[in-house]
Amino acid sequence: VIEQYVLKDRKLVYVIEVSKYTIINVPDEVTSIGDSVFLGCSEITSISLPNSVTSIGEKALSNCTALTHVNIPTTLTHIGEEQSFSLLQITDMHLFEKDESCLLGVNTAKSFEAVLEQVKKQDVPFDLILATGDIAQDYSEGAYARFARMVKPLNKPVFWLPGNHDDGPKMTRVMPTLDISDARNIIVGKWQFIMLDTQVYNSPLGWIDGDDLSYIQKCVESRPDLNTVICLHHNAFTVNSAWLDQHELK
């Protein structure tokens, strides 16, 4: 753990003799990383951030040429504009509480496990995970707990929205207890992600109402400097597929 540093309102603003470190473990009392804190620190190979950290400032990790590993906490919701990032989007896991349960003859837990193994095998770096619906098939808390257990080894922040097979209110209640964020507006660099709930309970179609549109407008108008990605489970347009179009947004 870094020994001597300067905090301002729990923001890490300066590390004394930072050049002597190759591995950085930020202490638990830090809630944000200030601008340019580790800028140009070519000796650093690894940085571990505690779960208390929610934001990383501008150029905080820029030009750290030897840096190969950053442990990003699930609590992170903002990364400064000068930080590059990648995300992993996963959807339609259709998990059950019971190990042996299948959907259309497919054991969905084993199928999702195979997907995660491919993610690890490809070894493409990513900074956060967007799970865009149909996480569960049986509406059970056990299915959401299974999902949390399965993605935990990826050690990245996870954000979610419900699909037509999910139980949105249950997810809102359960997911935070599983260390999975329920943030609906995520800002990363020059981008903001708006996570919409378009679920109609016990129906395949999606629905967006005036409150949703007002929320989108509020997010966009409050940060006109950002690019905006609207994330939802249901297809917004007809795609001329009998199966997919029954899920179309209304």
Side-chain angles (χ1 to χ4, degrees):
V1 177
I2 53 177
E3 298 168 350
Q4 294 180 293
Y5 48 90
V6 177
L7 292 181
K8 183 178 181 181
D9 296 327
R10 300 188 68 185
K11 175 188 288 187
L12 182 65
V13 296
Y14 185 71
V15 178
I16 298 172
E17 295 184 321
V18 68
S19 61
K20 74 178 183 180
Y21 297 99
T22 58
I23 298 176
I24 297 286
N25 291 302
V26 175
D28 291 339
E29 63 179 321
V30 175
T31 59
S32 62
I33 307 299
D35 297 346
S36 306
V37 169
F38 299 112
L39 174 64
C41 293
S42 57
E43 299 86 1
I44 297 175
T45 61
S46 174
I47 296 177
S48 182
L49 304 177
N51 285 333
S52 54
V53 171
T54 60
S55 68
I56 299 175
E58 309 298 326
K59 300 183 180 179
L61 307 179
S62 295
N63 296 328
C64 295
T65 54
L67 186 63
T68 58
H69 174 77
V70 181
N71 177 35
I72 297 179
T74 59
T75 49
L76 190 71
T77 58
H78 177 78
I79 301 177
E81 292 187 3
E82 297 300 324
Q83 313 302 329
S84 62
F85 73 95
S86 299
L87 61 86
L88 171 68
Q89 186 253 339
I90 51 179
T91 189
D92 290 78
M93 289 70 75
H94 293 278
L95 298 172
F96 295 86
E97 182 173 14
K98 295 181 179 179
D99 293 340
E100 67 276 9
S101 296
C102 295
L103 174 64
L104 301 176
V106 176
N107 185 303
T108 55
K110 291 183 178 179
S111 176
F112 186 40
E113 183 179 6
V115 170
L116 295 177
E117 285 301 316
Q118 281 298 309
V119 169
K120 297 174 186 176
K121 185 178 179 179
Q122 290 176 9
D123 196 29
V124 177
F126 59 92
D127 303 298
L128 55 95
I129 300 168
L130 299 184
T132 54
D134 280 4
I135 294 172
Q137 175 67 22
D138 61 359
Y139 303 100
S140 70
E141 292 188 14
Y144 298 123
R146 180 185 295 278
F147 170 75
R149 290 195 303 271
M150 294 182 75
V151 298
K152 186 173 183 179
L154 297 178
N155 200 29
K156 301 295 181 183
V158 182
F159 304 92
W160 61 271
L161 55 82
N164 51 291
H165 286 281
D166 286 310
D167 185 328
K170 184 178 292 183
M171 295 176 79
T172 300
R173 185 178 72 253
V174 171
M175 287 302 205
T177 70
L178 301 172
D179 293 326
I180 294 180
S181 174
D182 61 353
R184 302 270 68 90
N185 183 220
I186 308 150
I187 296 175
V188 187
K190 295 182 179 179
W191 295 83
Q192 66 170 329
F193 297 84
I194 301 173
M195 309 290 279
L196 292 185
D197 178 357
T198 54
Q199 180 193 40
V200 178
Y201 193 77
N202 203 31
S203 173
L205 62 82
W207 183 263
I208 188 168
D209 60 20
D211 289 341
D212 296 316
L213 295 175
S214 295
Y215 181 67
I216 294 171
Q217 183 177 10
K218 177 182 177 182
C219 291
V220 172
E221 290 181 348
S222 65
R223 292 302 305 268
D225 56 314
L226 300 179
N227 302 300
T228 298
V229 178
I230 299 174
C231 305
L232 63 161
H233 179 73
H234 298 85
N235 48 301
F237 305 98
T238 301
V239 295
N240 296 318
S241 165
W243 177 68
L244 283 175
D245 287 342
Q246 65 179 321
H247 302 87
E248 188 177 354
L249 189 66
K250 304 298 183 182

mmCIF file of all heavy atoms in Angstrom, residues 184-187 192-196 212-230:
data_model
loop_
_atom_site.group_PDB
_atom_site.id
_atom_site.type_symbol
_atom_site.label_atom_id
_atom_site.label_comp_id
_atom_site.label_asym_id
_atom_site.label_seq_id
_atom_site.Cartn_x
_atom_site.Cartn_y
_atom_site.Cartn_z
ATOM 1 N N ARG A 184 -28.087 3.669 -13.225
ATOM 2 C CA ARG A 184 -28.830 3.782 -14.474
ATOM 3 C C ARG A 184 -28.153 4.733 -15.469
ATOM 4 O O ARG A 184 -28.497 4.738 -16.642
ATOM 5 C CB ARG A 184 -30.254 4.294 -14.188
ATOM 6 C CG ARG A 184 -31.048 3.429 -13.234
ATOM 7 C CD ARG A 184 -31.838 2.353 -13.981
ATOM 8 N NE ARG A 184 -31.019 1.327 -14.607
ATOM 9 C CZ ARG A 184 -30.648 0.196 -14.009
ATOM 10 N NH1 ARG A 184 -31.004 -0.041 -12.777
ATOM 11 N NH2 ARG A 184 -29.926 -0.689 -14.644
ATOM 12 N N ASN A 185 -27.221 5.529 -14.988
ATOM 13 C CA ASN A 185 -26.490 6.466 -15.841
ATOM 14 C C ASN A 185 -25.009 6.331 -15.510
ATOM 15 O O ASN A 185 -24.577 6.666 -14.410
ATOM 16 C CB ASN A 185 -26.981 7.895 -15.610
ATOM 17 C CG ASN A 185 -26.306 8.912 -16.519
ATOM 18 O OD1 ASN A 185 -25.975 10.006 -16.093
ATOM 19 N ND2 ASN A 185 -26.106 8.578 -17.778
ATOM 20 N N ILE A 186 -24.240 5.816 -16.450
ATOM 21 C CA ILE A 186 -22.834 5.508 -16.226
ATOM 22 C C ILE A 186 -22.001 6.402 -17.135
ATOM 23 O O ILE A 186 -22.216 6.412 -18.357
ATOM 24 C CB ILE A 186 -22.549 4.027 -16.543
ATOM 25 C CG1 ILE A 186 -23.526 3.117 -15.782
ATOM 26 C CG2 ILE A 186 -21.115 3.665 -16.206
ATOM 27 C CD1 ILE A 186 -23.828 1.838 -16.511
ATOM 28 N N ILE A 187 -21.084 7.133 -16.570
ATOM 29 C CA ILE A 187 -20.239 8.041 -17.348
ATOM 30 C C ILE A 187 -18.821 7.505 -17.359
ATOM 31 O O ILE A 187 -18.207 7.283 -16.310
ATOM 32 C CB ILE A 187 -20.278 9.461 -16.757
ATOM 33 C CG1 ILE A 187 -21.703 10.046 -16.862
ATOM 34 C CG2 ILE A 187 -19.285 10.363 -17.487
ATOM 35 C CD1 ILE A 187 -21.866 11.383 -16.204
ATOM 36 N N GLN A 192 -21.583 8.543 -22.062
ATOM 37 C CA GLN A 192 -22.501 8.182 -20.993
ATOM 38 C C GLN A 192 -23.404 7.063 -21.498
ATOM 39 O O GLN A 192 -23.840 7.057 -22.655
ATOM 40 C CB GLN A 192 -23.330 9.363 -20.505
ATOM 41 C CG GLN A 192 -24.320 9.953 -21.477
ATOM 42 C CD GLN A 192 -25.240 10.960 -20.812
ATOM 43 O OE1 GLN A 192 -25.572 10.858 -19.625
ATOM 44 N NE2 GLN A 192 -25.671 11.964 -21.564
ATOM 45 N N PHE A 193 -23.654 6.101 -20.631
ATOM 46 C CA PHE A 193 -24.516 4.969 -20.933
ATOM 47 C C PHE A 193 -25.783 5.097 -20.100
ATOM 48 O O PHE A 193 -25.728 5.209 -18.876
ATOM 49 C CB PHE A 193 -23.799 3.655 -20.616
ATOM 50 C CG PHE A 193 -22.570 3.423 -21.446
ATOM 51 C CD1 PHE A 193 -21.352 3.972 -21.073
ATOM 52 C CD2 PHE A 193 -22.634 2.671 -22.606
ATOM 53 C CE1 PHE A 193 -20.213 3.769 -21.830
ATOM 54 C CE2 PHE A 193 -21.500 2.466 -23.379
ATOM 55 C CZ PHE A 193 -20.286 3.014 -22.998
ATOM 56 N N ILE A 194 -26.924 5.100 -20.777
ATOM 57 C CA ILE A 194 -28.222 5.200 -20.105
ATOM 58 C C ILE A 194 -28.874 3.823 -20.149
ATOM 59 O O ILE A 194 -29.149 3.292 -21.233
ATOM 60 C CB ILE A 194 -29.124 6.244 -20.784
ATOM 61 C CG1 ILE A 194 -28.437 7.619 -20.763
ATOM 62 C CG2 ILE A 194 -30.474 6.322 -20.095
ATOM 63 C CD1 ILE A 194 -29.175 8.683 -21.561
ATOM 64 N N MET A 195 -29.102 3.248 -18.980
ATOM 65 C CA MET A 195 -29.640 1.896 -18.868
ATOM 66 C C MET A 195 -31.152 1.982 -18.669
ATOM 67 O O MET A 195 -31.629 2.431 -17.618
ATOM 68 C CB MET A 195 -28.975 1.167 -17.702
ATOM 69 C CG MET A 195 -27.448 1.209 -17.723
ATOM 70 S SD MET A 195 -26.732 0.215 -19.049
ATOM 71 C CE MET A 195 -26.810 -1.415 -18.303
ATOM 72 N N LEU A 196 -31.924 1.542 -19.666
ATOM 73 C CA LEU A 196 -33.382 1.648 -19.616
ATOM 74 C C LEU A 196 -34.038 0.327 -19.221
ATOM 75 O O LEU A 196 -33.591 -0.748 -19.629
ATOM 76 C CB LEU A 196 -33.932 2.075 -20.978
ATOM 77 C CG LEU A 196 -33.621 3.486 -21.465
ATOM 78 C CD1 LEU A 196 -34.355 3.738 -22.779
ATOM 79 C CD2 LEU A 196 -34.000 4.536 -20.434
ATOM 80 N N ASP A 212 -39.483 7.528 -19.226
ATOM 81 C CA ASP A 212 -38.210 7.082 -19.796
ATOM 82 C C ASP A 212 -37.636 8.136 -20.743
ATOM 83 O O ASP A 212 -36.445 8.448 -20.716
ATOM 84 C CB ASP A 212 -38.393 5.771 -20.556
ATOM 85 C CG ASP A 212 -38.807 4.621 -19.662
ATOM 86 O OD1 ASP A 212 -38.220 4.483 -18.582
ATOM 87 O OD2 ASP A 212 -39.724 3.883 -20.051
ATOM 88 N N LEU A 213 -38.495 8.669 -21.601
ATOM 89 C CA LEU A 213 -38.044 9.688 -22.547
ATOM 90 C C LEU A 213 -37.565 10.942 -21.824
ATOM 91 O O LEU A 213 -36.575 11.573 -22.223
ATOM 92 C CB LEU A 213 -39.170 10.027 -23.519
ATOM 93 C CG LEU A 213 -39.618 8.891 -24.446
ATOM 94 C CD1 LEU A 213 -40.827 9.329 -25.265
ATOM 95 C CD2 LEU A 213 -38.484 8.463 -25.368
ATOM 96 N N SER A 214 -38.257 11.298 -20.736
ATOM 97 C CA SER A 214 -37.845 12.467 -19.950
ATOM 98 C C SER A 214 -36.492 12.225 -19.295
ATOM 99 O O SER A 214 -35.662 13.142 -19.220
ATOM 100 C CB SER A 214 -38.900 12.781 -18.879
ATOM 101 O OG SER A 214 -40.116 13.179 -19.477
ATOM 102 N N TYR A 215 -36.275 10.991 -18.837
ATOM 103 C CA TYR A 215 -34.993 10.664 -18.211
ATOM 104 C C TYR A 215 -33.861 10.744 -19.233
ATOM 105 O O TYR A 215 -32.787 11.290 -18.941
ATOM 106 C CB TYR A 215 -35.055 9.275 -17.586
ATOM 107 C CG TYR A 215 -33.776 8.866 -16.905
ATOM 108 C CD1 TYR A 215 -33.335 9.530 -15.758
ATOM 109 C CD2 TYR A 215 -32.994 7.833 -17.408
ATOM 110 C CE1 TYR A 215 -32.154 9.174 -15.129
ATOM 111 C CE2 TYR A 215 -31.811 7.464 -16.784
ATOM 112 C CZ TYR A 215 -31.397 8.139 -15.648
ATOM 113 O OH TYR A 215 -30.231 7.778 -15.036
ATOM 114 N N ILE A 216 -34.110 10.215 -20.428
ATOM 115 C CA ILE A 216 -33.097 10.312 -21.491
ATOM 116 C C ILE A 216 -32.786 11.773 -21.788
ATOM 117 O O ILE A 216 -31.617 12.177 -21.876
ATOM 118 C CB ILE A 216 -33.595 9.603 -22.762
ATOM 119 C CG1 ILE A 216 -33.720 8.099 -22.534
ATOM 120 C CG2 ILE A 216 -32.633 9.869 -23.922
ATOM 121 C CD1 ILE A 216 -34.400 7.368 -23.669
ATOM 122 N N GLN A 217 -33.833 12.585 -21.924
ATOM 123 C CA GLN A 217 -33.639 14.003 -22.225
ATOM 124 C C GLN A 217 -32.847 14.696 -21.122
ATOM 125 O O GLN A 217 -31.948 15.499 -21.397
ATOM 126 C CB GLN A 217 -34.997 14.678 -22.406
ATOM 127 C CG GLN A 217 -34.899 16.146 -22.793
ATOM 128 C CD GLN A 217 -36.260 16.778 -23.047
ATOM 129 O OE1 GLN A 217 -37.298 16.177 -22.759
ATOM 130 N NE2 GLN A 217 -36.272 17.986 -23.586
ATOM 131 N N LYS A 218 -33.169 14.374 -19.884
ATOM 132 C CA LYS A 218 -32.465 14.976 -18.741
ATOM 133 C C LYS A 218 -30.979 14.625 -18.777
ATOM 134 O O LYS A 218 -30.113 15.496 -18.572
ATOM 135 C CB LYS A 218 -33.096 14.501 -17.436
ATOM 136 C CG LYS A 218 -32.406 15.014 -16.188
ATOM 137 C CD LYS A 218 -33.061 14.463 -14.930
ATOM 138 C CE LYS A 218 -32.322 14.910 -13.678
ATOM 139 N NZ LYS A 218 -32.934 14.327 -12.446
ATOM 140 N N CYS A 219 -30.671 13.355 -19.028
ATOM 141 C CA CYS A 219 -29.274 12.919 -19.059
ATOM 142 C C CYS A 219 -28.513 13.590 -20.194
ATOM 143 O O CYS A 219 -27.380 14.048 -20.015
ATOM 144 C CB CYS A 219 -29.203 11.401 -19.216
ATOM 145 S SG CYS A 219 -29.774 10.459 -17.787
ATOM 146 N N VAL A 220 -29.135 13.660 -21.362
ATOM 147 C CA VAL A 220 -28.466 14.240 -22.526
ATOM 148 C C VAL A 220 -28.260 15.741 -22.351
ATOM 149 O O VAL A 220 -27.177 16.278 -22.631
ATOM 150 C CB VAL A 220 -29.279 13.952 -23.801
ATOM 151 C CG1 VAL A 220 -28.706 14.720 -24.990
ATOM 152 C CG2 VAL A 220 -29.294 12.456 -24.095
ATOM 153 N N GLU A 221 -29.298 16.431 -21.860
ATOM 154 C CA GLU A 221 -29.197 17.885 -21.709
ATOM 155 C C GLU A 221 -28.250 18.283 -20.590
ATOM 156 O O GLU A 221 -27.631 19.350 -20.654
ATOM 157 C CB GLU A 221 -30.587 18.473 -21.471
ATOM 158 C CG GLU A 221 -31.491 18.405 -22.705
ATOM 159 C CD GLU A 221 -32.854 19.017 -22.463
ATOM 160 O OE1 GLU A 221 -33.179 19.278 -21.276
ATOM 161 O OE2 GLU A 221 -33.596 19.217 -23.446
ATOM 162 N N SER A 222 -28.128 17.441 -19.574
ATOM 163 C CA SER A 222 -27.242 17.779 -18.461
ATOM 164 C C SER A 222 -25.774 17.598 -18.829
ATOM 165 O O SER A 222 -24.900 18.215 -18.224
ATOM 166 C CB SER A 222 -27.570 16.924 -17.236
ATOM 167 O OG SER A 222 -27.302 15.555 -17.483
ATOM 168 N N ARG A 223 -25.486 16.749 -19.835
ATOM 169 C CA ARG A 223 -24.107 16.546 -20.275
ATOM 170 C C ARG A 223 -24.033 16.584 -21.806
ATOM 171 O O ARG A 223 -23.808 15.572 -22.453
ATOM 172 C CB ARG A 223 -23.571 15.216 -19.745
ATOM 173 C CG ARG A 223 -23.373 15.155 -18.250
ATOM 174 C CD ARG A 223 -22.413 16.223 -17.730
ATOM 175 N NE ARG A 223 -21.117 16.193 -18.379
ATOM 176 C CZ ARG A 223 -20.082 15.496 -17.907
ATOM 177 N NH1 ARG A 223 -20.211 14.778 -16.801
ATOM 178 N NH2 ARG A 223 -18.920 15.526 -18.533
ATOM 179 N N PRO A 224 -24.222 17.763 -22.392
ATOM 180 C CA PRO A 224 -24.170 17.871 -23.863
ATOM 181 C C PRO A 224 -22.778 17.615 -24.420
ATOM 182 O O PRO A 224 -22.619 17.455 -25.636
ATOM 183 C CB PRO A 224 -24.620 19.311 -24.120
ATOM 184 C CG PRO A 224 -24.286 20.047 -22.864
ATOM 185 C CD PRO A 224 -24.507 19.059 -21.751
ATOM 186 N N ASP A 225 -21.771 17.593 -23.564
ATOM 187 C CA ASP A 225 -20.401 17.351 -23.997
ATOM 188 C C ASP A 225 -20.093 15.878 -24.213
ATOM 189 O O ASP A 225 -19.039 15.529 -24.744
ATOM 190 C CB ASP A 225 -19.431 17.905 -22.954
ATOM 191 C CG ASP A 225 -19.672 17.328 -21.558
ATOM 192 O OD1 ASP A 225 -20.862 17.276 -21.154
ATOM 193 O OD2 ASP A 225 -18.711 16.942 -20.881
ATOM 194 N N LEU A 226 -21.027 15.007 -23.830
ATOM 195 C CA LEU A 226 -20.773 13.566 -23.893
ATOM 196 C C LEU A 226 -21.500 12.913 -25.065
ATOM 197 O O LEU A 226 -22.585 13.340 -25.462
ATOM 198 C CB LEU A 226 -21.220 12.887 -22.592
ATOM 199 C CG LEU A 226 -20.554 13.334 -21.297
ATOM 200 C CD1 LEU A 226 -21.148 12.563 -20.114
ATOM 201 C CD2 LEU A 226 -19.043 13.131 -21.363
ATOM 202 N N ASN A 227 -20.891 11.856 -25.592
ATOM 203 C CA ASN A 227 -21.608 10.955 -26.484
ATOM 204 C C ASN A 227 -22.522 10.081 -25.628
ATOM 205 O O ASN A 227 -22.173 9.719 -24.505
ATOM 206 C CB ASN A 227 -20.628 10.072 -27.257
ATOM 207 C CG ASN A 227 -19.631 10.883 -28.058
ATOM 208 O OD1 ASN A 227 -20.007 11.655 -28.921
ATOM 209 N ND2 ASN A 227 -18.351 10.713 -27.761
ATOM 210 N N THR A 228 -23.676 9.726 -26.160
ATOM 211 C CA THR A 228 -24.656 8.979 -25.376
ATOM 212 C C THR A 228 -24.975 7.642 -26.032
ATOM 213 O O THR A 228 -25.226 7.573 -27.236
ATOM 214 C CB THR A 228 -25.957 9.783 -25.218
ATOM 215 O OG1 THR A 228 -25.669 10.999 -24.503
ATOM 216 C CG2 THR A 228 -27.001 8.994 -24.440
ATOM 217 N N VAL A 229 -24.955 6.587 -25.226
ATOM 218 C CA VAL A 229 -25.378 5.258 -25.651
ATOM 219 C C VAL A 229 -26.612 4.887 -24.844
ATOM 220 O O VAL A 229 -26.567 4.881 -23.608
ATOM 221 C CB VAL A 229 -24.277 4.200 -25.438
ATOM 222 C CG1 VAL A 229 -24.776 2.811 -25.852
ATOM 223 C CG2 VAL A 229 -23.015 4.566 -26.200
ATOM 224 N N ILE A 230 -27.718 4.609 -25.517
ATOM 225 C CA ILE A 230 -28.941 4.179 -24.844
ATOM 226 C C ILE A 230 -28.997 2.662 -24.898
ATOM 227 O O ILE A 230 -29.016 2.063 -25.978
ATOM 228 C CB ILE A 230 -30.182 4.805 -25.503
ATOM 229 C CG1 ILE A 230 -30.105 6.333 -25.401
ATOM 230 C CG2 ILE A 230 -31.460 4.286 -24.845
ATOM 231 C CD1 ILE A 230 -31.213 7.043 -26.142
#
